[in-house]
Amino acid sequence: MAIKVLHLIDSGGLYGAEKMLLTLVAEQIKQGLVPMILSAGEPEQPEKALETEAKNLGLPITPWRMKPGFNLIGAREVIRWAKTNGFQLLHSHGYKFNVLMGLWPESLRSIPLVTTLHGYIKAPRFTKSWLYESVDRLALNQMRAVVLVSEAMRQQIPSAIAQSERVAVIPNGLDVDAVQIKAQSPLSETFTEFFEAHSPVVLAVGRLSPEKGFDRLIQAFSLALDEYPNAGLIIIGEGAMRGQLERHAKEAGLSSNLLLPGYCDQVPALMLKADMICMPSLTEGLPITLLEAMAAGVPILATNVGEIGQVLGQTGTHTKGGVVIPANDGAALLNGMKAVLSSLGAQDIAINWSRERVQTAYSSVSMARKYSVVYQQALG
């Protein structure tokens, strides 16, 4: 009998975790499972980007609105709904449902729970995010299985759990053909005009939050303008740091060289058009943005966090698929940016290696099959 699985997520946009989930659900349907996405949000919240994209792709999704915080009553309603609709397994994506479902013992929940950890943000101690992450780690004890998207993430969870048989490492997968088709989509007028006015163009994609390092990117880019005065920087994403980033840009005199359009669904097309993509993250698991960039064929500059160096084929000081630099190093970020921009005509070998790498090692088919094994073990 096909496994009926309910994916639980409270999405803040359409970033790596959301894209991975959509890819997984699409592949699970092909492989004979019966998945459903339950997309949580606050009462009266309009349709989320994840919900819109799922509908556009024809994937099963149920919008669910509930009060925020440690809402145990709301969690109980989700569990009741899951039981009524015959779901055999709950699959949580993110600390909200890790905590809410984990606070209900399995003896009361009666539906096994697994989770995928897409990455922690290393929040400052005693902040709200730090509290949630701390409780999240405790909630892992209630999981039948814990999936990490990178081997490096074992260091971020309690050692007793990290070394247990309940933990599996499943790298994120990508539907390469779908990304390459999207890359051919026409860009909106806003982007077209920006590319016409600036060259070279650096692209960055991600939630506007501290761990993504976009404040350092803006600073490094402003210094690179000394050699590339007509360069442009596009940062795709939305988040709490928008105001701070806008202030940084204004102070650095980047008003005409920087585009902060918020969330958009044209990332593969932007990758195809951009001269390079920069990922200055302070922490990552295995970012979907990296895999998309490899599939789209754009030169890559990224920090050596999570699985990034391993995915890009780093051996010692050499990296086959891009340029990898230390995290939180402004000088390395500036020098790396200049190194990539000064060698744009010699990137074909790295681009071709990256395309082949993502097709063979990080496919959506392989990812979904590995999750099926985890599900069978959890249910067994």
Side-chain angles (χ1 to χ4, degrees):
M1 184 176 69
I3 298 174
K4 195 170 183 180
V5 54
L6 182 63
H7 294 278
L8 304 170
I9 188 169
D10 185 355
S11 166
L14 194 57
Y15 303 110
E18 291 84 2
K19 290 180 179 180
M20 169 269 178
L21 176 54
L22 293 171
T23 300
L24 176 60
V25 167
E27 194 60 46
Q28 285 180 336
I29 292 172
K30 294 177 186 177
Q31 294 182 11
L33 279 71
V34 184
M36 169 66 73
I37 303 170
L38 185 145
S39 172
E42 296 184 12
E44 309 303 325
Q45 188 168 7
E47 184 171 87
K48 291 188 163 189
L50 172 65
E51 296 161 6
T52 301
E53 184 67 7
K55 291 178 181 178
N56 290 339
L57 295 172
L59 299 178
I61 190 162
T62 298
W64 189 279
R65 299 300 181 252
M66 58 193 292
K67 291 182 180 179
F70 291 102
N71 185 354
L72 289 179
I73 295 177
R76 183 181 62 188
E77 292 305 312
V78 172
I79 294 169
R80 285 178 175 173
W81 185 85
K83 290 179 180 178
T84 300
N85 287 275
F87 288 101
Q88 302 158 269
L89 192 68
L90 301 176
H91 187 165
S92 173
H93 301 261
Y95 65 73
K96 181 185 180 77
F97 280 112
N98 286 356
V99 172
L100 288 181
M101 295 296 141
L103 288 174
W104 285 93
E106 188 173 312
S107 58
L108 296 176
R109 190 184 346 109
S110 76
I111 305 178
L113 175 65
V114 303
T115 183
T116 295
L117 300 184
H118 296 272
Y120 289 113
I121 65 172
K122 295 184 178 179
R125 287 174 64 85
F126 307 116
T127 62
K128 184 177 180 180
S129 295
W130 174 84
L131 175 61
Y132 275 120
E133 289 188 358
S134 299
V135 178
D136 179 282
R137 288 177 173 89
L138 293 175
L140 298 182
N141 291 300
Q142 296 295 324
M143 308 293 171
R144 287 276 186 99
V146 176
V147 177
L148 312 177
V149 299
S150 72
E151 186 66 36
M153 289 186 65
R154 286 188 191 270
Q155 306 302 318
Q156 300 181 25
I157 62 176
S159 58
I161 297 175
Q163 303 307 319
S164 74
E165 295 182 353
R166 292 187 293 125
V167 173
V169 177
I170 302 180
N172 287 332
L174 193 72
D175 186 335
V176 175
D177 291 339
V179 171
Q180 292 177 343
I181 290 171
K182 281 189 174 183
Q184 303 299 323
S185 302
L187 291 172
S188 67
E189 185 176 350
T190 298
F191 294 125
T192 299
E193 292 178 350
F194 191 83
F195 278 104
E196 290 174 350
H198 298 90
S199 181
V201 174
V202 177
L203 175 67
V205 181
R207 188 176 290 105
L208 305 186
S209 52
E211 75 276 6
K212 296 301 182 182
F214 292 148
D215 51 346
R216 295 165 182 80
L217 174 58
I218 288 174
Q219 182 179 11
F221 177 78
S222 68
L223 297 174
L225 289 177
D226 291 341
E227 293 185 28
Y228 300 93
N230 199 41
L233 172 62
I234 302 174
I235 301 179
I236 300 296
E238 196 53 83
M241 279 192 73
R242 167 173 282 278
Q244 183 178 337
L245 296 178
E246 289 174 340
R247 288 193 297 274
H248 281 323
K250 184 176 181 180
E251 292 167 359
L254 297 184
S255 57
S256 62
N257 296 84
L258 173 65
L259 189 62
L260 279 167
Y263 163 76
C264 88
D265 60 357
Q266 296 184 290
V267 169
L270 288 168
M271 288 178 173
L272 188 64
K273 184 72 173 176
D275 295 286
M276 65 174 286
I277 186 164
C278 185
M279 301 179 61
S281 302
L282 304 181
T283 177
E284 287 285 358
L286 198 174
I288 288 291
T289 296
L290 175 65
L291 302 182
E292 288 181 325
M294 294 168 72
V298 57
I300 298 167
L301 171 66
T303 50
N304 190 16
V305 294
E307 294 291 288
I308 289 178
Q310 191 270 336
V311 172
L312 289 175
Q314 185 181 37
T315 305
T317 59
H318 177 67
T319 306
K320 295 179 180 178
V323 175
V324 176
I325 59 173
N328 201 17
D329 187 331
L333 181 57
L334 174 59
N335 292 333
M337 192 181 305
K338 290 181 178 180
V340 175
L341 292 177
S342 65
S343 62
L344 291 178
Q347 297 286 333
D348 287 350
I349 293 176
I351 287 172
N352 291 335
W353 183 92
S354 291
R355 281 191 177 128
E356 184 174 350
R357 169 79 160 159
V358 74
Q359 287 175 329
T360 57
Y362 299 98
S363 74
S364 57
V365 174
S366 174
M367 174 182 66
R369 286 175 179 166
K370 291 175 181 176
Y371 271 103
S372 290
V373 172
V374 170
Y375 289 173
Q376 294 285 359
Q377 293 173 342
L379 291 171

